[in-house]
Amino acid sequence: MKNLRCVADVKNTLGEGPVWDDLSAHLYWLDITERTLFRFSPQSGEVSSWETPSEFGSFAFRKKGPGIIAAAKDEVLLFDPDSGKQERLVALESDLPENRMNDGKCDAAGRFWCGSIHEISDPALRRPIASVYRVDPDHSVVRVLGDIKTSNGFAWSPDNGTMYFADTPTQIVSAFDYDLATGALSNRRTFAEVPKSTGRPDGAAVDVEGCLWSGHFAGGRVTRYAPDGSVVDVIALPVSNVTSCAFGGADLSTLYITTAREDLSEQELETQPEAGGLFAVDLEVGGFKMHRYGG
């Protein structure tokens, strides 16, 4: 591990959802609160951005057609940033005004997994009224899990036999047995319990050795967990609110890390001038190409 640096000092209110596009060799991510999709070029250092039509919590590129699939405020939609064209696939949780869609990612079969959050300012007061959904390539949508407070940390083991998921306020990263052929979950269990002193588990990525890298909101770190859940490495960042991470770069051995300025006081922002920036760190281990939505 070497050369941790802030590669885009964009001061995101809530930077989230990094996605490496292997076709264009760019890193994309969101500022959920500011309704912005960003793109970073490692070659030139240039940052581009597009306005999103609502608060996008997560997205993935598509195999068919242009643009992305996105988990937005209260819907899942197809969106083309270049043309602005959008197509709603399904409305979700419009009867729960305090909820919005949050983290999401595609599995190896091209299904888009995403979940909602009970979004109130104090995480300790969030109620288990959010859910996790699976959007299949034929655009059908299945509600898979309920009784969730904050959906985060979707990731899969290298053999696709395990799915990871974090319900952030519970401090627990869960693991499920995963059937890639059907998209079915079973045997939920605690993979890791995060001490409150190290922040709350947020977005995650898996490396080629099967280890889970998990960002800690309000913890200023990314933790690397072995497949048995033990901690094997920690990357300390100069900012508190670490939100997610993704592997990218030519050999997929650069870990890109999104961060946020929300919930920080003026004094904290003065001592964390790079809060809300996009960070990168070069690792000795690589990750996998990010899967695209099959629809």
Side-chain angles (χ1 to χ4, degrees), residues 247-269:
F247 286 93
D251 58 359
L252 297 176
S253 64
T254 299
L255 189 71
Y256 288 97
I257 304 166
T258 51
T259 68
R261 292 167 62 86
E262 75 168 17
D263 297 344
L264 297 178
S265 67
E266 289 299 323
Q267 182 178 2
E268 288 171 323
L269 289 171

Side-chain angles (χ1 to χ4, degrees), residues 52-214:
T52 61
S54 62
E55 295 171 301
F56 282 14
S58 55
F59 72 97
F61 287 102
R62 301 174 61 195
K63 290 182 180 178
K64 302 177 181 178
I68 61 177
I69 183 172
K73 166 66 177 176
D74 57 359
E75 62 183 343
V76 175
L77 52 79
L78 303 178
F79 177 65
D80 182 1
D82 292 323
S83 68
K85 182 180 179 181
Q86 56 182 295
E87 175 189 349
R88 171 183 280 182
L89 298 186
V90 64
L92 294 171
E93 304 188 2
S94 56
D95 59 327
L96 297 170
E98 290 185 330
N99 283 17
R100 68 160 172 80
M101 297 305 296
N102 198 47
D103 198 15
K105 197 171 292 182
C106 284
D107 70 9
R111 305 180 187 94
F112 182 58
W113 286 78
C114 56
S116 56
I117 172 177
H118 180 216
E119 190 180 40
I120 55 175
S121 57
D122 186 349
L125 299 180
R126 289 177 183 166
R127 294 183 289 133
I129 58 174
S131 298
V132 169
Y133 302 89
R134 192 190 74 226
V135 186
D136 291 345
D138 65 0
H139 297 180
S140 62
V141 181
V142 179
R143 180 176 179 266
V144 181
L145 296 173
D147 299 322
I148 303 297
K149 296 180 179 181
T150 302
S151 301
N152 264 317
F154 294 96
W156 286 265
S157 60
D159 65 0
N160 298 304
T162 302
M163 189 181 93
Y164 300 100
F165 171 77
D167 187 355
T168 295
T170 68
Q171 303 292 134
I172 291 174
V173 179
S174 296
F176 299 82
D177 290 343
Y178 191 67
D179 186 337
L180 183 63
T182 64
L185 302 179
S186 61
N187 188 28
R188 184 173 185 171
R189 55 202 180 271
T190 296
F191 172 74
E193 189 163 358
V194 179
K196 290 184 178 180
S197 60
T198 65
R200 305 188 293 275
D202 208 316
V206 169
D207 64 33
V208 295
E209 295 180 354
C211 295
L212 182 78
W213 296 78
S214 174

Side-chain angles (χ1 to χ4, degrees), residues 42-59:
Q43 293 76 25
S44 67
E46 179 183 2
V47 175
S48 307
S49 64
W50 297 261
E51 182 179 355
T52 61
S54 62
E55 295 171 301
F56 282 14
S58 55
F59 72 97

